[in-house]
């Protein structure tokens, strides 16, 4: 094993705050287990970690006992709708032919266009690790 490459990998991980772990199209149990274990270990180091999967991927029933998979799988296209509104009276949504409409009712005042921001849930990671 090239110890120089190994040390460079350790240094990159140590310097990173956000890490993405990318999985192949159809990961097997070894890939899922390795990505889950790595996610746990990196989380213990204080890293923000996301496992990125293709949009069509789902966890097969036989692997659902593995920890983390219900909450950590995400795609790069997830976004959060952030509203600058101190108190919200109600939130609802309607599915439409074109997508989704979200309705937010403030308890007081109104919401201006400048108060609405779309933010990616996971910005570009500092490093990307591929498994599989």
């Amino acid at each position: 094993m090239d110890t120089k490459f190994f040390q460079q990998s350790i240094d990159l991980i140590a310097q990173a705050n956000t890490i993405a772990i990318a999985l192949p199209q159809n990961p097997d149990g070894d890939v899922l287990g390795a990505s889950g274990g790595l996610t746990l270990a990196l989380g213990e180091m204080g890293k923000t970690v996301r496992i990125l999967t293709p949009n069509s991927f789902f966890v097969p029933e036989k692997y659902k006992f593995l920890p983390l998979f219900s909450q950590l799988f995400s795609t790069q296209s997830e976004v959060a709708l952030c509203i600058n509104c101190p108190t919200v009276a109600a939130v609802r949504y309607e599915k439409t032919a074109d997508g989704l409409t979200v309705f937010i009712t403030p308890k007081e005042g109104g919401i201006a266009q400048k108060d609405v921001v779309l933010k990616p849930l996971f910005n570009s990671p500092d490093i990307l690790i591929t498994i599989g």
Side-chain angles (χ1 to χ4, degrees), residues 59-71:
V59 179
E61 192 65 39
K62 65 182 178 181
Y63 300 128
K64 287 190 178 177
F65 72 93
L66 294 169
L68 303 177
F69 294 122
S70 63
Q71 64 209 29

Side-chain angles (χ1 to χ4, degrees), residues 53-82:
T53 65
N55 290 336
S56 62
F57 177 74
F58 67 97
V59 179
E61 192 65 39
K62 65 182 178 181
Y63 300 128
K64 287 190 178 177
F65 72 93
L66 294 169
L68 303 177
F69 294 122
S70 63
Q71 64 209 29
L72 286 181
F73 283 106
S74 62
T75 64
Q76 297 168 340
S77 60
E78 287 182 314
V79 295
L81 175 64
C82 303

Side-chain angles (χ1 to χ4, degrees), residues 28 40 46 48 55 58 69 76 86 90-91 93-94 117 120-121 125 130:
D28 61 16
L40 287 171
T48 300
N55 290 336
F58 67 97
F69 294 122
Q76 297 168 340
V91 176
Y93 70 91
E94 290 178 8
V117 178
L121 287 180
T130 59

Side-chain angles (χ1 to χ4, degrees), residues 4 7 10 15 18 24 26 33 41 43 47 57 65 73 76 94 98 100 115 117-118 120 123:
K4 183 178 178 184
Q7 187 58 50
I10 291 172
Q15 294 169 13
T18 58
N26 295 306
K47 310 297 181 185
F57 177 74
F65 72 93
F73 283 106
Q76 297 168 340
E94 290 178 8
D98 297 335
L100 184 72
D115 297 327
V117 178
L118 284 178
N123 292 326

Side-chain angles (χ1 to χ4, degrees), residues 10-31:
I10 291 172
D11 293 344
L12 286 171
I13 291 170
Q15 294 169 13
N17 292 314
T18 58
I19 299 172
I21 300 173
L23 303 185
Q25 180 70 32
N26 295 306
D28 61 16
D30 290 339
V31 169

